[in-house]
Amino acid sequence: MQRTLLQAIVLVLLGAVLGLLVNIVSPKGIPIRPPESSLNEQDKISLAEAKKLWDSGAVFFLDARATADYTAGHIALARSLPVEEFDQYFPKVTTVLSPDSEIVVYCDGDQCDLSHRLMMLLRERGGYTNVRVLTNGWTMWRKAGFSTEKGTES
Amino acid sequence: MTARQPLLVRFLSFVLRLVVGGIFIYAGVIKILDPAKFAADVANYRMLPLALVNFVAITLPWVETVVGILMVMGFWLPASALVITGLMGVFMAAIGQALARGLNIQCGCFGTVEGGKMDAVTLVRDVALFVCAAWLFWHSSSTESNQGKENAPANCCN
């Protein structure tokens, strides 16, 4: 039994070392320690401000989650732009946006980074500069009792 | 001892090794191909401090792949089965807590291949894999210790 335990530890260490080594040389490698907070304060929007913009109608809400989540429920009037299928959905969204459009992106959960990734994609690939993240947007919006809807885009 | 085991038990052990090991190799390789996606999936579970998320996303798929390969090969079988059993225990706990907290997330078990959301079926699948791995561990350990006894000199262990 002792030998089995020792071998098990060797296997785990072997896998971990292999992973770390490959991560160093791989072009797809990621930082071992992520930056503390890659989201600057000016990239975020508060729930109150987001609601004010939503009320004014002068804003586009984009839902960064998967389409199944969007269909199950989303912020009213928000459009779906799932990060994982950005290339497929992006052309559809560009038809309603202009370069200076005010955009709020959101996903769900404090640590969900889909909206952050969507913000970066919109800036880098779309040239949209007025993009901000509503952190934990879906949950916060829903809990605040603001307007939501279900189903696919009309 | 191995030769005296019923054929059915040996066949079952062989099939389970291929299935469980194969699933681990597949799950590992899929995640290795897209570490950033897997890191996002790990973060979504909200179990680990953010500082550890990427470390786990970098190392875990390789551990899965290594133990999967060894299990298929039948090399260091009790050890690889032990690691897989342990990992399945951790995965079940992660999925169980995510379901209990109502997190609406992807399992991340098979990287980008698996599109849908995690649900009770995911948990049942993991429990099944856990049971298979635990049985393989128990079976290979007892086989090995019996072999040890048989190989020992006759007067050694009285």
Side-chain angles (χ1 to χ4, degrees), chain A residues 3 11 15 19 28 31 69 109, chain B residues 33 54 62 70 104 117 144:
Chain A
R3 197 185 58 172
L11 289 181
K28 283 188 172 178
D69 292 329
Chain B
L33 295 176
N54 281 14
W62 281 91
L70 290 197
N104 186 22
K117 282 281 153 313
E144 207 166 74

Side-chain angles (χ1 to χ4, degrees), chain A residues 1 3-5 7-8 10-12 14-16 18-20 22-23 28 30-34 66 69 84 109-113 117, chain B residues 33 35-37 39-40 43-44 46 48 50-51 54-55 57-59 62-63 66-67 70 76 78-80 82-83 104 117 137 144:
Chain A
M1 188 62 200
R3 197 185 58 172
T4 302
L5 267 178
Q7 287 174 345
V10 169
L11 289 181
V12 172
L14 177 70
L18 267 174
L20 290 169
V22 171
N23 187 62
K28 283 188 172 178
I30 55 176
I32 294 175
R33 272 185 76 97
D69 292 329
E84 301 296 346
D110 280 327
Q111 295 181 18
C112 168
D113 72 341
R117 280 156 61 192
Chain B
L33 295 176
K37 159 81 170 83
N44 283 344
R46 299 188 225 164
L48 290 170
L50 273 181
N54 281 14
F55 179 78
I58 291 166
T59 54
W62 281 91
V63 176
V66 166
V67 291
L70 290 197
W76 280 12
S80 54
L82 178 63
V83 175
N104 186 22
K117 282 281 153 313
F137 171 64
E144 207 166 74

